Amino acid sequence: MADKLIIFDTTLRDGEQSPGASMTRDEKLRIARQLERLKVDVIEAGFAASSNGDFEAVQSIAQAIKDSTVCSLSRANDRDISRAAEALKDANSARIHTFIATSPLHMEKKLRMTPEQVLEQAKQSVRFARNLVGDIEFSPEDGYRSEMDFLCRVLEAVIAEGATTINVPDTVGYAVPELYGNFIKTLRERIPNSDKAIWSVHCHNDLGMAVANSLAGVQIGGARQVECTINGLGERAGNCSLEEVVMAVKTRRDYFNLELGIDTQHIVAASRMVSQTTGFVVQPNKAVVGANAFAHASGIHQDGVLKARDTYEIMRAEDVGWSANKIVLGKLSGRNAFKQRLQELGVQLESEGEINAAFSKFKELADRKSEIFDEDILALVSDESVTAERETYGFVSLSQHSETGERPQANIVFTVEGREVRATSEGNGPVDASLKAIETQVQSGAEMVLYSVNAISGSTESQGEVTVRLQSSGRVVNGVGSDPDIIVASAKAYLSALNKLQSKAERVAAQG
Ligand code: KIV
Ligand code: ZN
C-alpha cells in the first residue's frame, strides 16, 4: 500500500506572517473551515502565545474544527507551550509545534545561546509539551543551515523525549532540491531513533524552489509531511504552495506513489478566499489557481484540446474546483437558491443573521448588475458587513463629483463605533478625494503603500475589487473592498484597512 503524505497547512500562521496579510479571528475561522473542507490533515491555526488575538483565533478554530488536527506554534519555553495547550484544549485532535533555532548564526547572533544550551532547551520543551498533548512537532529553526552533527544530536534527543513529528525548515529559502532531499535522507539515516517520528519538510520560496525542495524532501529524503500555504502565501517570497504540491503528487502519482487525503475540488475556493481576505492577488499565470492556468489561447492548443483534452491538459480544471464562469443567480433568485449556491461554493456562514446580511447584499448587487458570477458571490461574502464582525469603521454611502478641468470632490458617510460621521474633501481624482475625506475624520496618519484595482469577472459591468495597503507605526495591513462602483470599493477597502490597523494595534498592545 502507498504511504500517505500528510498535508500541514500553515496559511494561518506562517502565511499570516507576511506583511499586510494579518487576518481577524473571524477571517481565520472562515479560512480554517475551508481548509477542513479541503480535508487538510493539520491546520496550523496560529501562535497562541504571541498575542491575545492569536490565542483567541487558535482557540475558536480548535473549538470549531472537527476533522483536521489543529496545531499552535510555540517557542521552546514553558510559558508559550502552556498557552498553546490552553488554546487547544477543546480540539478534537491537537498538536503543539515547538521550535528553537539550531544554526550557528541564529544560535550565536539571535538567541545568544551556546549549542549545549539550545540542546537542553529543546529537550526540556518537548518533555514539558509531551505532558500536555500527545502529538508534538519539533522544528529546528534554520535547520537546513545547521551543522549536521549538532542537528543529529538535537533531533535524536527530542525524539527520545517524545516528539512525534520532526520538521526540517529551510527558513531562509536557501536550499536546492537535490541537496535538501539528501539532507533529510542523511538525517534519517544517521539518527538511530528516526523511525519513531514522521519527517516533515518546510520550505520558503526565496529562490523560487520551495515546491521543488519540498518534493525532493519527500522523494529523496522520505519525508511524509509537507508544510505549505494556500497560494504560497508567506513572508518575503512566500512558502511552499499547497495547491502546487498537492496537484504535483496527485497528477504524477506514477512517480510519487503517495496517497493524499485532500479533496482537490475545494482548492480554487480556498485560493479565492485567501486572496480576497488578505488582498494578495493571485498572478494570472500561477500554477493551478491562476486565472490562466487552464486557458488555452493559441489556435493550435485550442484545436488540440477540442479534439482530445489531454493533448495539452494534464489536469482537469473541474478537479481543482474551476467551474465554468457561469451565471449563477439573478434578481429573481430566492434565499434558498442563494443559500444552496453558497454551499456549492464551499462557503459556510456562521449564523442565520450572516446569511440574511449576505442575501440582502446579493439583492442590492442584483439590482445594479444583471449577471452575478461565482466570483461576485465570493467577494460579497468576504465583505465585513456580512460577517458581523465588531469593526470600528463601516461604510454607509458616498457621492462624488468629477468633471474634466475641475478638481473632484467627494462626500462620504461612514460609521465610527456605530455613530454616523460625514466628511467632505477634494482630491486629485474621485478616489483620492474619497479617501482624503475619510482621513479628515479618522486622522490615522497611515501611509498608503499600495492601491490596486482588479475587475472581479472581466468586463466593465464587473465588480471592482480594490486592495489598499496601509503602513503605520511599523505595522502593515491590507484592506479589500468590492463594489460595481470602484470609488465605493476604494472607500470600503480603505475603511477595512483602517479596521485592521486598529485591531492589529490592539493585538500588539495585548502582547505587552
Ligand atoms: O521557517 C521556519 O523556520 C518556521 C519555523 C517556525 C517552523 O516557520
Ligand atoms: Zn516558515
Side-chain angles (χ1 to χ4, degrees), residues 14 202 204 239:
D14 223 356
H202 178 111
H204 282 263
N239 286 54

Side-chain angles (χ1 to χ4, degrees), residues 44-358:
E44 190 164 49
F47 185 168
S50 70
S51 68
N52 289 342
D54 247 39
F55 179 89
E56 283 169 18
V58 175
Q59 188 177 49
S60 36
I61 292 170
Q63 286 163 352
I65 297 299
K66 297 289 167 245
D67 299 336
S68 310
T69 295
V70 180
C71 170
S72 171
L73 186 70
S74 128
R75 280 165 299 199
N77 65 58
D78 295 2
R79 181 195 163 267
D80 269 31
I81 293 169
S82 305
R83 204 70 184 131
E86 200 185 329
L88 292 168
K89 83 174 177 345
D90 297 326
N92 245 5
S93 163
R95 173 180 297 188
I96 291 178
H97 176 191
T98 186
F99 74 99
I100 188 165
T102 52
S103 67
L105 192 62
H106 278 226
M107 289 190 292
E108 191 193 324
K109 302 280 188 239
K110 189 182 81 171
L111 298 176
R112 297 181 198 282
M113 287 169 77
T114 64
E116 291 313 310
Q117 287 171 325
V118 167
L119 172 65
E120 272 318 304
Q121 195 162 324
K123 278 169 36 182
Q124 143 70 23
S125 63
V126 171
R127 193 178 312 141
F128 183 75
R130 196 68 167 86
N131 287 328
L132 302 174
V133 170
D135 184 349
I136 304 297
E137 173 167 331
F138 176 80
S139 285
E141 190 191 6
D142 206 17
Y144 181 65
R145 292 195 301 171
S146 304
E147 279 167 5
M148 181 54 81
D149 286 349
F150 177 63
L151 195 55
C152 285
R153 280 179 65 209
V154 172
L155 298 184
E156 181 181 350
V158 295
I159 296 171
E161 293 293 348
T164 41
T165 298
I166 298 294
N167 179 46
V168 184
D170 176 23
T171 304
V172 292
Y174 182 67
V176 291
E178 195 183 344
L179 299 182
Y180 183 70
N182 281 321
F183 192 76
I184 309 275
K185 182 167 185 267
T186 308
L187 286 170
R188 290 184 57 235
E189 282 168 1
R190 284 191 40 186
I191 295 175
N193 55 0
S194 68
D195 61 327
K196 302 277 181 301
I198 290 171
W199 288 74
S200 167
V201 288
H202 178 111
C203 297
H204 282 263
N205 203 32
D206 297 67
L207 294 172
M209 290 188 280
V211 171
N213 288 335
S214 303
L215 291 172
V218 168
Q219 197 64 2
I220 304 174
R224 288 297 175 260
Q225 173 176 287
V226 175
E227 302 202 351
C228 44
T229 59
I230 301 288
N231 299 337
L233 185 71
E235 264 181 295
R236 308 183 307 276
N239 286 54
C240 169
S241 131
L242 179 144
E243 58 280 3
E244 293 180 22
V245 154
V246 163
M247 290 317 288
V249 170
K250 184 174 156 121
T251 307
R252 295 308 308 271
R253 199 178 192 283
D254 59 319
Y255 176 70
F256 290 105
N257 190 27
L258 290 167
E259 295 291 347
L260 284 166
I262 299 292
D263 182 347
T264 60
Q265 288 190 15
H266 294 289
I267 284 180
V268 168
S271 160
R272 196 75 197 124
M273 194 182 279
V274 169
S275 154
Q276 281 184 331
T277 306
T278 58
F280 279 60
V281 177
V282 174
Q283 75 197 55
N285 58 330
K286 165 87 171 61
V288 184
V289 293
N292 289 353
F294 293 88
H296 299 275
S298 93
I300 295 177
H301 284 209
Q302 280 176 354
D303 182 54
V305 169
L306 287 175
K307 285 177 178 145
R309 207 173 167 156
D310 51 3
T311 48
Y312 288 102
E313 267 186 18
I314 56 164
M315 299 172 267
R316 295 184 332 155
E318 51 272 38
D319 287 351
V320 294
W322 283 108
S323 55
N325 196 15
K326 56 184 184 262
I327 301 164
V328 284
L329 296 171
K331 216 174 155 157
L332 301 175
S333 310
R335 193 173 177 280
N336 277 348
F338 177 69
K339 210 169 148 184
Q340 182 173 342
R341 194 69 201 119
L342 285 179
Q343 264 164 18
E344 284 161 15
L345 287 169
V347 176
Q348 187 181 343
L349 291 177
E350 308 301 321
S351 64
E352 282 300 303
E354 284 188 13
I355 296 176
N356 290 341

